[in-house]
Amino acid sequence: MALPGLAPRALRPLREATPACRPSYRTISARACPQPRRVILGQTTVIGAAGRKTDPIRPVPTQGLLQQRRQQSSTATPAPTFYTEEEPGRTALYDLHLKHGGKMVEFGGYSMPVQYGDLSITNSHNWTREKCSLFDVGHMVQYHCDGPGAESLLETVTPAGLKDLAPGQSTLSALLHPVTGGIVDDCMITRLEEGPKHLFYVVTNAGNRKKDYDFFNAAIEKWSDTMNPYVQLRHLEAEGQPFGLVALQGPLSAEILGAALSSACKVDVSKWYFGNTKHITLALPSGESLPIVASRGGYTGEDGFELSIHPSQTIEATEQLLKVGSEDNLRMAGLGARDSLRLEAGMCLYGHDIDDSTTPPEAALNFIIPKHRRTADDIGFHGAETIIPQLTPVSKGGKGVSRRRVGLIVEGAPAREGAGVVSQEGKAIGTVTSGCPSPTLKKNIAMAYVEDGMHKSGTEVQVVVRGKNRKATVTKMPFVPNKFYRGAM
Amino acid sequence: MSGAFAGRALKHGMDAVSRCSRPQFQRLRTQKPAFKPAVRSFTASTRAWEKKYTEDHEWIELSSDGKTGTIGISTYAAKALGDVVFVELPTLDLEVSAGDSIGAVESVKSASDIMTPVSGKIVEANSVLEDTPGKINKSPEGDGWLAKIEMSDAKEVEKLMDADGYRKFTEEADGH
């Protein structure tokens, strides 16, 4: 396990000072061209069957920290490609969208379908709740983060409890600004491989592509400066093209994905629960088996999967899914339906319901901070000094928050982003951050930030739409109960 | 959403629509004796006057005496909006100038103000749309009309596009 051409004797003593369980790793050159991701099929069953896998005992590396640092520095390459509103990028499925009558709009620097020719947004929304929809979410940004320092780096920039995250498990989290604890972006973090090497799969929002990358880059630079263990962040791409990301959402998605798996794939869809990621193989018409990393979950509140697919085969795999699903059960759906679905599911849209100025407690996202990360031992994440006191209300000796994200049901006109929220007495108490008529509930739903104290469900407030005050009631979210597949656990 | 129609959504007229709350408005309307338009209804008045369109995708059609106009949104706009799920109607007797917001149509995705193409006084609103907003999609230039206005200056209509001009206008908008 010795690294080549190293270890002058003078520095040897340092080695003794480092912890015995210090991770081993390969050289940079061995990991310089990581794509396409080689899927380790053998591991899938291990993870599924045995839960958390124990670390194999590895020999202690033969050189000290300083030497490591000289040989390899933490990096964030390759970076994603940055597009502009004027010249948006295209996902691998762009032509497929056009073929299906996709009405394209610019979103997050990408040209994306807002809806398709055959279904209105409402119909597409209802279709997802009743059957299954396929969403191209390839505009989102996928990263691999690995190296001995990966876990601690991610636990520094997010409040996630990654030590408890077994391989194959995912968690919603947020990148946080230092000190203020404002949300840089929300993200999904999945552990693909356990320590000491660590491999995490991180998905962030399209609209924050540049900001997130700069944020990671700065965090990693600072990380390196303080002699932390090596970490590398890589945009997930092959031949310069980002990996595709396709979501199946709706009650029929398990059935459809199950039917699309290759006969050699050992994954049992009925034992694959929400928040878990598996290595699957899809049967392609060519007879090939395509390895894919897929997570159970999504952004609609329905059962579903998100499939990360090699760029050269994203189109083929998507067409195959559409074929297996058949037009009777599976249709493509765009950003329009995705937005109303996620709103019904009470999920935040970055730049609207959360932004750089909101902290997780303000955004009612306390659940992304596990208990053990709120205690003194494990507190070291960006903005903890602001966020931890906010978790305890003023009445219990904490700082509390002055505003909170809540759900509203509005009578009469739908309330949209920017509409003012006023109390029964007419005092301004907040602002709507997103809202729409809910196709499922046939009521107007909205998310808003309101003053602390006005946030309890059942509180009667008013929302100002086109100059008129409309009655509204603070309501628990999700508005439509989610149907995540959690099995009988 | 395409073009100017969605672009101006919600920018205009916070005060133009509302002089009273909706319950008040509804009460007022029921108390009022059934309004008798000075002219025959819209559906019967198609012969004498050509329908005109604005660049904001409203249409107006004048009654045979040229004093009253019926306002709605164009078929093109209704298609662009998608399923209309809510219609905000103008208050009766509202005095408006050309370009003022007199109401709004909302789909799941968007809210769009409706601007009056001409100045005058609102004399009728299509209350059917309150319960069946989808009528705007089914018949945007017929039963899905929005309001009737008593015009203060009939000449304003002359500046608007005719059907042919509007068709060209939308084709150009789509061309971009």
Side-chain angles (χ1 to χ4, degrees):
Chain A
M1 244 329 145
L3 297 177
L6 252 201
R9 289 195 161 265
L11 288 170
R12 277 269 161 98
L14 255 182
R15 185 188 60 204
E16 265 73 53
T18 56
C21 61
R22 214 154 40 78
S24 67
Y25 45 83
R26 279 175 232 114
T27 60
I28 285 189
S29 55
R31 61 178 66 226
C33 51
Q35 296 95 4
R37 221 194 96 55
R38 278 175 291 277
V39 173
I40 305 147
L41 285 174
Q43 280 198 354
T44 309
T45 44
V46 175
I47 296 159
R52 201 180 167 103
K53 196 163 56 102
T54 50
D55 291 351
I57 296 160
R58 302 200 186 209
V60 176
T62 55
Q63 86 295 341
L65 262 180
L66 266 183
Q67 287 154 325
Q68 289 179 36
R69 302 250 320 110
R70 278 182 195 167
Q71 195 185 39
Q72 52 191 2
S73 57
S74 299
T75 52
T77 55
T81 310
F82 306 112
Y83 296 97
T84 59
E85 271 178 47
E86 292 72 36
E87 286 176 53
R90 292 175 176 184
T91 69
L93 299 180
Y94 183 83
D95 291 338
L96 191 69
H97 297 316
L98 296 187
K99 205 171 106 190
H100 283 80
K103 206 160 120 190
M104 308 303 282
V105 298
E106 189 277 331
F107 181 82
Y110 268 76
S111 180
M112 298 300 290
V114 69
Q115 67 181 98
Y116 293 86
D118 54 343
L119 289 178
S120 72
I121 290 176
T122 313
N123 289 342
S124 181
H125 178 112
N126 294 334
W127 187 281
T128 314
R129 293 260 181 259
E130 286 156 23
K131 295 179 174 183
C132 184
S133 291
L134 186 147
F135 297 83
D136 175 16
V137 284
H139 58 309
M140 297 190 75
V141 195
Q142 305 175 70
Y143 287 107
H144 273 175
C145 182
D146 70 354
E151 183 180 88
S152 8
L153 174 79
L154 290 174
E155 283 206 338
T156 304
V157 298
T158 76
L162 300 178
K163 290 187 187 72
D164 297 338
L165 202 66
Q169 283 186 345
S170 308
T171 181
L172 173 70
S173 195
L175 307 176
L176 299 174
H177 284 289
V179 189
T180 62
I183 300 172
V184 179
D185 199 3
D186 55 315
C187 61
M188 286 301 294
I189 304 178
T190 304
R191 185 193 283 278
L192 292 178
E193 285 170 33
E194 211 161 17
K197 184 175 167 279
H198 298 296
L199 173 60
F200 292 99
Y201 166 59
V202 181
V203 183
T204 60
N205 279 308
N208 293 333
R209 193 175 305 264
K210 184 80 174 80
K211 186 178 79 165
D212 289 345
Y213 179 73
D214 291 346
F215 169 82
F216 272 125
N217 220 356
I220 288 172
E221 234 166 73
K222 202 174 151 209
W223 182 257
S224 304
D225 282 350
T226 48
M227 295 255 302
N228 277 305
Y230 168 72
V231 59
Q232 192 175 13
L233 182 82
R234 301 185 308 260
H235 180 242
L236 194 51
E237 57 183 47
E239 291 113 42
Q241 294 301 310
F243 264 56
L245 195 60
V246 167
L248 288 176
Q249 297 282 296
L252 299 181
S253 36
E255 196 180 303
I256 292 168
L257 185 66
L261 295 179
S262 74
S263 54
C265 181
K266 299 275 189 305
V267 171
D268 180 355
V269 179
S270 69
K271 287 181 185 145
W272 176 1
Y273 303 111
F274 174 77
N276 283 276
T277 297
K278 298 208 183 279
H279 296 104
I280 57 171
T281 48
L282 214 63
L284 295 182
S286 60
E288 280 177 280
S289 290
L290 174 66
I292 287 175
V293 175
S295 354
R296 194 150 195 171
Y299 194 49
T300 63
E302 294 297 323
D303 181 24
F305 303 87
E306 291 187 343
L307 285 65
S308 175
I309 312 171
H310 191 277
S312 66
Q313 278 167 306
T314 310
I315 298 178
E316 214 180 339
T318 307
E319 284 182 330
Q320 176 63 6
L321 286 169
L322 289 169
K323 200 174 128 201
V324 171
S326 91
E327 249 200 346
D328 297 339
N329 297 321
L330 178 62
R331 296 282 179 91
M332 295 185 90
L335 295 171
R338 190 166 157 83
D339 191 48
S340 50
L341 288 160
R342 69 93 196 165
L343 196 48
E344 287 185 345
M347 295 176 182
C348 294
L349 177 60
Y350 192 90
H352 301 262
D353 311 307
I354 45 176
D355 60 29
D356 296 299
S357 78
T358 51
T359 64
E362 290 175 330
L365 295 174
N366 290 2
F367 68 89
I368 70 168
I369 313 168
K371 285 267 147 52
H372 70 88
R373 299 228 63 195
R374 304 177 183 193
T375 59
D377 302 342
D378 213 2
I379 212 166
F381 58 87
H382 280 184
E385 59 269 58
T386 307
I387 291 168
I388 302 295
Q390 287 182 341
L391 292 170
T392 315
V394 180
S395 60
K396 289 181 183 152
K399 279 222 169 118
V401 289
S402 56
R403 55 172 183 166
R404 269 169 207 263
R405 183 175 64 95
V406 296
L408 295 176
I409 288 187
V410 186
E411 288 177 31
R416 311 279 181 174
E417 183 175 5
V421 184
V422 296
S423 69
Q424 297 289 59
E425 295 75 37
K427 184 186 153 226
I429 55 163
T431 311
V432 169
T433 52
S434 48
C436 75
S438 155
T440 307
L441 300 176
K442 309 267 189 297
K443 288 176 185 171
N444 304 317
I445 57 172
M447 284 185 202
Y449 278 81
V450 297
E451 275 179 19
D452 184 53
M454 301 300 288
H455 65 279
K456 294 200 177 71
S457 82
T459 307
E460 301 278 336
V461 295
Q462 299 180 80
V463 175
V464 188
V465 181
R466 289 183 286 276
K468 282 186 218 169
N469 287 9
R470 328 274 173 155
K471 274 181 75 176
T473 311
V474 176
T475 309
K476 276 217 169 75
M477 291 186 285
F479 296 104
V480 173
N482 63 49
K483 300 197 184 76
F484 301 138
Y485 186 72
R486 297 183 192 276
M489 291 162 78
Chain B
M1 291 303 104
S2 56
F5 188 70
R8 67 180 164 75
L10 286 176
K11 275 189 200 133
H12 292 270
M14 290 298 275
D15 51 356
V17 182
S18 54
R19 294 286 143 79
C20 56
S21 71
R22 175 153 296 272
Q24 274 174 320
F25 162 45
Q26 280 163 337
R27 233 179 357 260
L28 272 177
R29 217 177 33 207
T30 47
Q31 281 162 5
K32 221 175 157 103
F35 181 77
K36 296 255 165 52
V39 292
R40 278 186 293 158
S41 78
F42 161 69
T43 42
S45 66
T46 45
R47 68 193 147 83
W49 297 86
E50 198 189 355
K51 197 182 257 180
K52 298 278 195 166
Y53 295 83
T54 70
E55 293 191 356
D56 292 326
H57 308 282
E58 292 94 5
W59 55 263
I60 182 164
E61 193 164 45
L62 300 197
S63 59
S64 52
D65 64 2
K67 284 179 185 161
T68 316
T70 303
I71 300 168
I73 67 167
S74 70
T75 308
Y76 175 86
K79 270 207 186 120
L81 268 177
D83 299 335
V84 172
V85 293
F86 180 79
V87 180
E88 186 111 63
L89 295 170
T91 316
L92 294 190
D93 294 335
L94 186 70
E95 299 273 355
V96 290
S97 310
D100 283 353
S101 166
I102 55 163
V105 284
E106 305 216 18
S107 64
V108 171
K109 192 82 190 122
S110 67
S112 305
D113 278 0
I114 298 166
M115 262 85 93
T116 171
V118 296
S119 309
K121 187 169 80 173
I122 300 293
V123 292
E124 196 179 346
N126 188 4
S127 57
V128 173
L129 295 179
E130 287 189 330
D131 296 326
T132 51
K135 202 151 241 173
I136 287 216
N137 293 110
K138 284 197 196 92
S139 175
E141 303 199 21
D143 291 347
W145 62 275
L146 193 93
K148 296 190 180 184
I149 186 167
E150 203 174 274
M151 291 187 294
S152 52
D153 180 5
K155 286 208 180 73
E156 282 178 342
V157 180
E158 290 164 19
K159 296 178 216 156
L160 304 174
M161 289 176 278
D162 60 16
D164 207 39
Y166 178 69
R167 187 178 49 75
K168 282 182 190 137
F169 170 73
T170 53
E171 279 168 4
E172 273 170 34
D174 283 341
H176 287 302

